[in-house]
Amino acid sequence: MTLPADRPWHCPDELPPADWVAAVRSTLASLGDPGRGDFLARALWARGWRDQADLAGWLSPDRHQPTGPEGWGEELQWAIARLVQARDRGDRVAIWGDFDADGVTATAVLWDGLGQFFAQGDRLTYFIPNRLTESHGLSRSGLEQLAAESCDLIVTCDTGSTNLAELAIAQDLGLDVIITDHHSLPDQRPEVVALVNPRSLPAESPLATLSGVAVAYKLVEALYQALPDVPQRPLSALLDLVAIGLIADLVELRGDTRYLAQMGLKQLQKTDRPGLQLLLERCKKTGDRPSDIAFGIGPRMNAASRIYGDASFCIDLLTSRDRDYCATLADKVEAANSRRKALQNDLLWRARSRLAGVDWSTMPVIVLAEPGWPVGVLGLVAGQLVQEFNRPALLLTIEGDMAKGSVRSLPGLDFYDLLKTQTHLLDRLGGHPLAAGLALPVANLGLLTQALERELRARCPVRSPQPIGVDLVVTVADLLVDRGRSLFQELKWLEPCGMGNPAPRLLIQNAQFTEFKVRRLQAGRQQLRYFYTLFDLRDESSAETFPGIWWETLPEAIPKGRCDLVAELDFNSREKIYQLRPLAVRSVDVAASAAAGAIAIWDYRSPDPASNLPADLQTAVRVDRCPTSWEDWQPITREAITDRRPIALTYTPPTEPSPAQTWQQFLGMAKYLSRTGQPVSIATLADRLALSPQAVRIGLAALVALGLTVDPAGADSESDIVTIRRSSPAPGPGDDSAWMIQQFWAIVAEERFHHRYFATMSPLALQDLDPRLQLAQPWQG
């Protein structure tokens, strides 16, 4: 996602000293990568690195000394003692997992790892709650089911720490419980065999940021050490699963967390798991980079429960050795991911429409609730809104008299702790500082919103936009060395990137975008879903250009003059080229225009804009109807610039039918006109259908293909007046009617896309269309 350009940019203050550069170059040479290090030294220095002693162990897992079981203290010892006892006594053990990527991989780690000590299916079983009908954590019904199946011991993973009531039920049922988790701890330790949770360790511990899957791995690691002669498979065979859960769960990658992610990525590249091999094939990844998990395997794992609710089949996908069976399951996951993308895009559009025209100075937190919103993607869209609007976001779906949903927060703002102050309003709460799930009566929703706004104003009276951090200032000439490969490989030593260690951000100054090419990706035949612009970037350092790709941005929204660009350097595995991926851009020419007195853009878009408009807008150029194309926008800016008047966006974000619904509407109009014989103008049809005249003409051609008579006929006719008549004999579908209808659907989808794009386009993006336009009032929290 592109970051707003009005956010402050934080650039490196100084270049590193020569001895630091020499130390980094020497370290890389000792790791088998001689001749590099200047750019990496600058990036590390900009991020605050000063200690040369720890550098080799941070860059290479082979130089890191991982923490052993002793780092956990007594809790892990108690857990291992009970597992050894369970093996000796023949106890039946149940794994209680969770349905997100971290929980699923943690369950798989315990299934494979404990499966070396307990017979799978006989002495060992697992249970994962249904995401759509249950919640994270233990439940009475699940515990009673396991007790009825004669289980003696439950081992949780990625869950359980705060389920005090359910843990008391387990005790009443005669079930022993070992908790492995990484979420918040209760105020008082529950009555369990062991509570293995890194939150109980000092913050500086190398184990402090482990996710659920890594804690589960550490439990298995300790059992391997306690009973070394029992396991038949090496412990390292679990590391590919560990990497997936760690990176997908967005934990801070430091200490042993970074080490396990590094080792796991190595294992993932050579994995012998058919399910992982098939998932990598389907997302066209190799498994060597954290982005292969973050944007490939991870979303697919999460999509299973988001769409189906039940994610238990993913354990088979990750652990089965039957490739044909895994292929069937991988297809099921792929279908879920496609559906997840469609639901996420639709919900994001609806949320943005609700937020159009909001007075951000009075809204420190986003709280949106609607009946029917898909619960499985609420957290994803909340995260997107956090990035876009620089505020915590809470999205809920309403089911009867209850609302349940997900919240995402900003770095440094512990929203879980904030929600704990309002538990009297909640029915259920779980999570960690940056993400939480909750449920509450709808009647309490207004009270909760007011309380959150009050608490946030007290804790964060002014929340300025998070600065966009820059690691390196580079030129196009720097990028062109070996067509980007040299710089990419040097900065790859920073990986795995994630929380606490973001992907390196490059600043290219005084550059210019050229050679735009728009590409669109369709999901199905009816609706356009994704688009991106390919471009070349040039600056004064070289006569050559460097390629880039900008997702969800059209050429018209990209500055045409000189600009400063913050971007990531990435490798396009499909095209086998290195590309820039822009994160933020600001026009170098805008400052001069602003000094001369720029044009302001006021945003009053909302479902009911009339209620939000100030009394006097006579001085502004009002935009009461949503533009449908860039050509619609040009006369608006021309008038504002000529008359030196601000622009006021006062239109209602449109809600438009799908291409299939539009076709049915058009067909109904055609049948009516054929009965009455009434002539009609192309402009009238275009206005009624909210389409362009060209789209209407293609629709008329489809009617002709169906057997109706249009006079003058077809998409090529220049006449503005047409008459639609029934043919004799009765009209029937022609051979090419299906193709023509698909053409109509395609152009409708294209035009609807442009409508949606303009309806939610930020004033900042509109400003970029002409450097003489600027935001009237940069947002302050």
Side-chain angles (χ1 to χ4, degrees), residues 120-139:
Q120 293 176 337
D122 178 23
R123 298 290 93 188
L124 186 67
T125 186
Y126 61 83
F127 179 93
I128 298 178
N130 186 299
R131 184 177 204 138
L132 302 182
T133 60
E134 301 174 273
S135 65
H136 296 277
L138 303 170
S139 66

Side-chain angles (χ1 to χ4, degrees), residues 35 50 183 185 254 346 485 496 512 517 593 645 687 737:
R50 300 294 185 268
H183 294 97
L185 290 168
R254 64 175 176 86
D346 180 69
R485 183 180 182 277
Q512 189 169 11
K517 297 177 183 177
S593 298
R645 295 162 60 196
D687 186 65
S737 61

Side-chain angles (χ1 to χ4, degrees), residues 112 116 233 237-238 240-241 267 271-275 277 315-326:
D112 264 6
Q116 296 295 302
R233 283 179 58 82
L238 300 173
D240 45 9
L241 301 173
Q267 181 66 25
T271 184
D272 62 352
R273 300 178 184 274
Q277 293 171 351
I315 309 304
D316 282 349
L317 173 62
L318 296 176
T319 61
S320 172
R321 299 293 162 174
D322 185 336
R323 188 174 182 86
D324 292 338
Y325 177 48
C326 287

Side-chain angles (χ1 to χ4, degrees), residues 407-665:
V407 64
R408 295 295 183 268
S409 189
L410 291 161
L413 177 58
D414 188 338
F415 213 86
Y416 180 78
D417 182 66
L418 192 154
L419 286 168
K420 285 200 300 184
T421 67
Q422 307 301 321
T423 52
H424 60 286
L425 298 174
L426 305 178
D427 182 66
R428 188 176 68 247
L429 173 65
H432 48 81
L434 294 181
L438 70 159
L440 73 160
V442 173
N444 291 351
L445 190 54
L447 294 173
L448 178 65
T449 302
Q450 295 172 16
L452 293 177
E453 290 177 347
R454 184 173 59 251
E455 287 288 331
L456 280 170
R457 289 191 183 100
R459 299 185 185 203
C460 315
V462 177
R463 175 159 288 277
S464 300
Q466 296 292 311
I468 300 170
V470 172
D471 298 294
L472 284 172
V473 179
V474 300
T475 65
V476 170
D478 294 329
L479 294 166
L480 285 168
V481 175
D482 201 12
R483 305 306 302 177
R485 183 180 182 277
S486 178
L487 180 58
F488 179 85
Q489 290 297 329
E490 183 170 336
L491 296 180
K492 199 170 183 286
W493 282 101
L494 294 171
E495 293 185 353
C497 295
M499 289 288 293
N501 182 45
R505 292 173 174 175
L506 314 178
L507 172 61
I508 304 98
Q509 296 175 307
N510 204 21
Q512 189 169 11
F513 294 94
T514 63
E515 303 297 328
F516 301 110
K517 297 177 183 177
V518 178
R519 298 287 185 269
R520 294 176 172 85
L521 304 178
Q522 240 172 325
R525 297 181 177 180
Q526 299 184 32
Q527 198 164 9
L528 186 68
R529 288 294 184 184
Y530 310 104
F531 63 96
Y532 58 87
T533 295
L534 299 173
F535 63 85
D536 289 336
L537 192 75
R538 68 169 66 254
D539 69 5
E540 296 176 354
S541 69
S542 175
E544 295 185 63
T545 60
F546 194 81
I549 181 171
W550 204 336
W551 285 89
E552 297 186 11
T553 298
L554 293 174
E556 293 85 348
I558 299 176
K560 302 305 184 291
R562 295 174 301 135
C563 64
D564 294 338
L565 169 71
V566 176
E568 293 177 2
L569 179 61
D570 205 358
F571 179 66
N572 187 326
S573 58
R574 296 187 183 185
E575 303 295 331
K576 306 300 182 185
I577 60 171
Y578 296 91
Q579 293 175 314
L580 288 172
R581 189 164 59 84
L583 299 175
V585 64
R586 61 186 180 193
S587 175
V588 175
D589 300 324
V590 164
S593 298
I599 302 299
I601 299 179
W602 300 336
D603 192 354
Y604 295 108
R605 293 172 293 183
S606 72
D608 184 17
S611 64
N612 298 318
L613 295 180
D616 185 8
L617 275 182
Q618 295 179 357
T619 61
V621 177
R622 287 185 54 159
V623 186
D624 294 322
R625 184 173 181 176
C626 180
T628 60
S629 67
W630 302 108
E631 289 74 18
D632 289 349
W633 180 248
Q634 297 307 315
I636 296 169
T637 60
R638 192 179 304 115
E639 180 182 357
I641 292 167
T642 301
D643 298 341
R644 307 302 302 168
R645 295 162 60 196
I647 297 172
L649 307 178
T650 57
Y651 53 81
T652 300
T655 301
E656 297 174 322
S658 68
Q661 293 169 328
T662 303
W663 170 248
Q664 291 301 321
Q665 181 184 358

Side-chain angles (χ1 to χ4, degrees), residues 44 47 49 57-59 64 102 182 203 205-214 242-265 289-291 293-294 434 493-503:
L44 290 169
R47 294 187 177 195
W49 268 88
W58 190 84
L59 293 175
H64 177 81
D102 189 27
H182 74 119
S205 168
L207 304 169
T209 62
L210 295 183
S211 74
V213 68
V242 175
I244 294 169
L246 275 174
I247 293 171
D249 209 50
L250 302 178
V251 291
E252 185 179 355
L253 298 176
R254 64 175 176 86
D256 278 30
T257 305
R258 176 177 170 86
Y259 165 77
L260 289 172
Q262 289 171 313
M263 295 298 292
L265 285 169
R289 303 196 61 206
S291 57
I293 295 171
L434 294 181
W493 282 101
L494 294 171
E495 293 185 353
C497 295
M499 289 288 293
N501 182 45

